[in-house]
Amino acid sequence: LAKTTQPISMDSYEGQEVNITCSHNNIATNDYITWYQQFPSQGPRFIIQGYKTKVTNEVASLFIPADRKSSTLSLPRVSLSDTAVYYCLVRYRDDKIIFGKGTRLHILP
Amino acid sequence: EPEVTQTPSHQVTQMGQEVILRCVPISNHLYFYWYRQILGQKVEFLVSFYNNEISEKSEIFDDQFSVERPDGSNFTLKIRSTKLEDSAMYFCASSEALDTGELFFGEGSRLTVL
């Protein structure tokens, strides 16, 4: 399993764009990069997944450079309700899906 | 939107008692998981289940834990003799395939062991 490293916490303000970067230096050729969001006392929720370049959905964008050794989750114009823990996972076809400590994002008014 | 449902939402039990946590995964999903999260800590993998058998388990998932899919819809986690340190939020998850990356989690069952 590829190990991931993320900042422990980040603060931002409402209306700002937030970028959370995850390092995964030993990512394997077949690994996908997946991000989850977790609110207090709730289960994690899938946000976005990508393999390379850029992926965008209605919630976020995921930027993956050519070497795939890192990825950046971008949240456009955050609101207070985006305060949560964000997890970066790297995996392919394994059923032992391990969550790291994640990044605790705190949005300020 | 289909969802994973878990019961009970909260259970309080005495140390040494048996507890069964229940989950109804999304109906066309084939892979099922249990995770736990102790208050303030990270989400920890317990076990994955496919084709009516355990496919992976962590070192946390020792002999006091067991999982079962007793019928076509339920997926249960049994803790045989609860300990104080089993107090945590237990999340069930399911996925359609092994390589989609998207796990669908339930709202969790909070277990408090006294």
Side-chain angles (χ1 to χ4, degrees):
Chain A
L1 293 168
K3 181 179 162 67
T4 60
T5 304
Q6 309 174 229
I8 293 171
S9 66
M10 292 179 67
D11 289 341
S12 187
Y13 291 93
E14 277 195 294
Q16 304 262 319
E17 177 184 83
V18 170
N19 296 309
I20 306 173
T21 296
C22 178
S23 297
H24 27 79
N25 290 319
N26 58 340
I27 189 169
T29 305
N30 292 331
D31 284 340
Y32 280 77
I33 300 152
T34 311
W35 286 79
Y36 284 81
Q37 174 192 56
Q38 186 183 27
F39 297 116
S41 299
Q42 292 187 26
R45 185 175 72 102
F46 173 89
I47 303 175
I48 198 165
Q49 177 176 273
Y51 182 79
K52 62 180 179 180
T53 63
K54 178 183 172 183
V55 180
T56 297
N57 62 23
E58 64 277 4
V59 176
S61 294
L62 179 59
F63 298 93
I64 305 167
D67 67 4
R68 304 196 333 118
K69 292 183 185 299
S70 67
S71 59
T72 299
L73 175 73
S74 181
L75 304 172
R77 291 192 298 282
V78 292
S79 64
L80 295 176
S81 61
D82 292 314
T83 293
V85 179
Y86 292 83
Y87 299 95
C88 163
L89 282 74
V90 174
R91 63 178 281 257
Y92 175 69
R93 290 191 66 83
D94 65 74
D95 42 7
K96 187 174 182 179
I97 303 160
I98 304 296
F99 285 75
K101 294 183 180 177
T103 297
R104 193 170 296 275
L105 176 64
H106 187 204
I107 305 301
L108 303 165
Chain B
E1 187 179 309
E3 58 181 21
V4 175
T5 57
Q6 291 186 240
T7 54
S9 56
H10 189 192
Q11 181 154 355
V12 181
T13 191
Q14 295 289 326
M15 193 168 56
Q17 294 294 304
E18 177 182 282
V19 161
I20 297 176
L21 304 178
R22 292 183 168 79
C23 170
V24 179
I26 294 172
S27 61
N28 64 332
H29 285 189
L30 301 176
Y31 298 85
F32 314 114
Y33 309 82
W34 282 101
Y35 286 80
R36 80 171 185 192
Q37 188 172 34
I38 296 168
L39 187 64
Q41 298 188 24
K42 66 179 185 178
V43 177
E44 298 176 294
F45 171 82
L46 292 178
V47 67
S48 58
F49 191 88
Y50 170 70
N51 201 24
N52 280 322
E53 60 182 25
I54 290 173
S55 46
E56 288 280 357
K57 60 182 180 178
S58 70
E59 58 278 4
I60 302 169
F61 194 87
D62 60 21
D63 291 344
Q64 69 160 343
F65 290 94
S66 63
V67 289
E68 196 177 37
R69 188 156 161 82
D71 52 45
S73 60
N74 291 285
F75 179 50
T76 61
L77 174 69
K78 182 192 288 187
I79 309 174
R80 261 180 270 284
S81 177
T82 50
K83 305 178 199 149
L84 295 176
E85 54 266 35
D86 293 328
S87 294
M89 197 75 159
Y90 288 81
F91 294 108
C92 173
S94 67
S95 67
E96 190 174 3
L98 205 49
D99 56 357
T100 61
E102 184 167 1
L103 298 184
F104 290 80
F105 282 81
E107 291 295 303
S109 293
R110 181 174 298 283
L111 176 64
T112 302
V113 182
L114 303 175

